[in-house]
Amino acid sequence: MSNPAAQTVPEPGAWPVDPQQGIEISKVRIWIDGCFDFSHHGHAGAMLQARRLGNELLVGVHSDQEILENKGPTVMTLEERTGEDCYRFVKNAGRFLVVKRTPGISTTDLVGRMLLCTRTHFVRSLSQFLSGNEGPGSPEERSNAGMEMSQRIKDYASDETGLQPGALVYSWEEPNSTGQTNATAVPGASKILVDGVHPQPGQRLVYVDGGFDLFSSGHIEFLRQVIKAEEALGRNQGCCVVFSAPFTPSKTYLQNLPFGNPHAVYHGPTAFMPLTYDPYAAVKDLGIYHQIGKHDFQHVNAGEIVQRILRSRQLYEERQKKKGEKGAGEDAVRRREQMEEDAATLEKERAVNR
């Protein structure tokens, strides 16, 4: 039985394009591809690292059929996301670069959380987590986790080059819990986490909020519609992120935002989550509420994604098992490669000492 890891690379002439041998490898344009099934910060981390390797980033998205044949069923369709080594050509051409995987986050991990309904990944206080005072593990492990998250927040707040400051990032804290009781809450406080590009004098301030859990095409389309609505008014936008924003944006909260009361608050379709009260009552009283109407991806939300997974639970469990087996195989390959490198280094040292 043949070993899948020992696949041969076709001879020149059997390639999709001729090998570019003898041509200096340029890092101006970088290619990265993947399934990108309900996008998460692991994907963002890979793209950010790849973007920093060159001046232009090209992103390839695998088709539903390719993913089904090689990994298993997807949660999102290709439209919603827009046995050989698929990288063997670029590897042989010396153009394959591996970026560091973001630990603890992948589509497989997220599917597992939803199937098991776990809560161990919850962050109850962002400031406490970042300072190493919350989370599992030893004090040293919590401190490292906090520093790693702080660095990720800074990295993801960079501009389109991935190298320069971009979005401003704040953390909001208030003395009482979020929810309906915020209507008359004592003013909270914002703490800057990343100092990015500040709003220009007279620039319009637009506020959108959400859990942005399982970041998907539904979120992306909503944000695109907000930008489109503002551009129709001839307004230009920057970006400022506020973590731990309350579910109910009260007048007190809005007035105490880093740059004061926003000019507009936008909200999108959320029919899957019925409420007995209106969390935007205060916003409407201020006359700054704007509703984004129906769009093609409004059905793509956390509720819909969970239902899709539950309908295909058996298929996903088989996928999880295969991914675990694949991970164990990859670990074995890495250990073998490390042993070979150590042996080669030792042999060189012996040769020098002879």
Side-chain angles (χ1 to χ4, degrees):
M1 186 174 180
S2 62
N3 182 0
Q7 298 178 60
T8 59
V9 176
E11 296 294 329
W15 291 47
V17 295
D18 291 333
Q20 296 176 314
Q21 297 173 343
I23 300 177
E24 183 180 357
I25 296 176
S26 169
K27 292 187 178 180
V28 173
R29 291 189 300 276
I30 303 296
W31 169 273
I32 186 172
D33 57 21
C35 307
F36 304 118
D37 199 10
F38 55 86
S39 187
H40 50 70
H41 76 79
H43 298 139
M47 291 186 190
L48 176 62
Q49 293 176 75
R51 176 64 182 86
R52 288 172 171 173
L53 295 173
N55 298 331
E56 183 179 354
L57 179 64
L58 307 177
V59 179
V61 181
H62 302 314
S63 69
D64 295 341
Q65 187 61 34
E66 287 285 336
I67 299 170
L68 180 63
E69 292 175 357
N70 290 280
K71 296 186 68 175
T74 62
V75 177
M76 319 297 285
T77 65
L78 177 60
E79 184 180 11
E80 291 168 345
R81 292 185 290 109
T82 339
E84 291 177 316
D85 182 359
C86 58
Y87 303 108
R88 64 192 185 282
F89 298 111
V90 289
K91 285 179 178 176
N92 198 65
R95 294 174 177 271
F96 184 79
L97 299 173
V98 178
V99 299
K100 182 181 178 182
R101 180 183 180 273
T102 302
I105 185 71
S106 69
T107 303
T108 303
D109 297 327
L110 296 177
V111 169
R113 290 180 189 177
M114 287 181 283
L115 290 177
L116 298 175
C117 298
T118 62
R119 295 188 180 186
T120 55
H121 57 283
F122 283 12
V123 174
R124 302 189 181 280
S125 170
L126 181 60
S127 62
Q128 290 294 307
F129 188 93
L130 295 179
S131 62
N133 295 319
E134 180 188 323
S138 66
E140 181 180 2
E141 290 171 330
R142 291 196 298 270
S143 177
N144 290 337
M147 289 189 291
E148 289 171 0
M149 179 178 281
S150 294
Q151 186 60 50
R152 284 199 299 272
I153 292 173
K154 182 178 180 180
D155 289 341
Y156 297 159
S158 57
D159 69 354
E160 62 272 14
T161 69
L163 300 171
Q164 301 300 323
L168 277 163
V169 181
Y170 288 87
S171 174
W172 179 265
E173 294 186 7
E174 53 187 333
N176 64 325
S177 61
T178 60
Q180 280 182 274
T181 56
N182 274 347
T184 58
V186 176
S190 60
K191 176 183 177 182
I192 191 165
L193 299 180
V194 180
D195 191 10
V197 179
H198 288 246
Q200 299 299 312
Q203 190 173 23
R204 182 175 168 88
L205 300 175
V206 175
Y207 183 87
V208 298
D209 60 6
F212 298 106
D213 193 13
L214 303 177
F215 192 69
S216 67
S217 54
H219 298 122
I220 294 170
E221 182 61 19
F222 162 65
L223 295 173
R224 192 183 73 82
Q225 292 287 347
V226 171
I227 293 175
K228 183 178 178 181
E230 287 295 302
E231 287 178 343
L233 299 174
R235 312 290 188 181
N236 62 328
Q237 302 86 29
C239 184
C240 175
V241 178
V242 181
F243 282 113
S244 304
F247 188 80
T248 300
S250 66
K251 293 179 181 179
T252 302
Y253 166 71
L254 294 173
Q255 291 166 356
N256 285 276
L257 283 171
F259 304 106
N261 230 28
H263 296 90
V265 174
Y266 283 86
H267 182 59
T270 53
F272 82 99
M273 188 177 66
L275 297 172
T276 58
Y277 67 100
D278 184 0
Y280 295 96
V283 177
K284 293 175 180 177
D285 288 343
L286 291 171
I288 57 175
Y289 180 82
H290 297 268
Q291 177 72 41
I292 294 296
K294 296 181 179 180
H295 54 76
D296 292 342
F297 300 102
Q298 66 180 42
H299 64 286
V300 185
N301 51 51
E304 168 66 16
I305 292 170
V306 169
Q307 289 302 314
R308 291 184 188 183
I309 293 172
L310 291 176
R311 285 195 295 267
S312 303
R313 179 165 185 163
Q314 183 176 356
L315 293 175
Y316 282 106
E317 287 176 342
E318 291 176 358
R319 171 184 173 180
Q320 306 286 74
K321 181 179 178 181
K322 291 179 181 179
K323 289 271 290 199
E325 293 172 350
K326 177 183 177 183
E330 290 174 345
D331 287 341
V333 171
R334 282 193 290 269
R335 287 196 297 272
R336 184 189 67 197
E337 292 174 344
Q338 185 61 51
M339 291 173 64
E340 291 174 348
E341 291 177 5
D342 293 343
T345 300
L346 181 60
E347 184 62 29
K348 289 180 181 179
E349 292 175 351
R350 288 175 177 174
V352 171
N353 294 328
R354 285 172 186 165

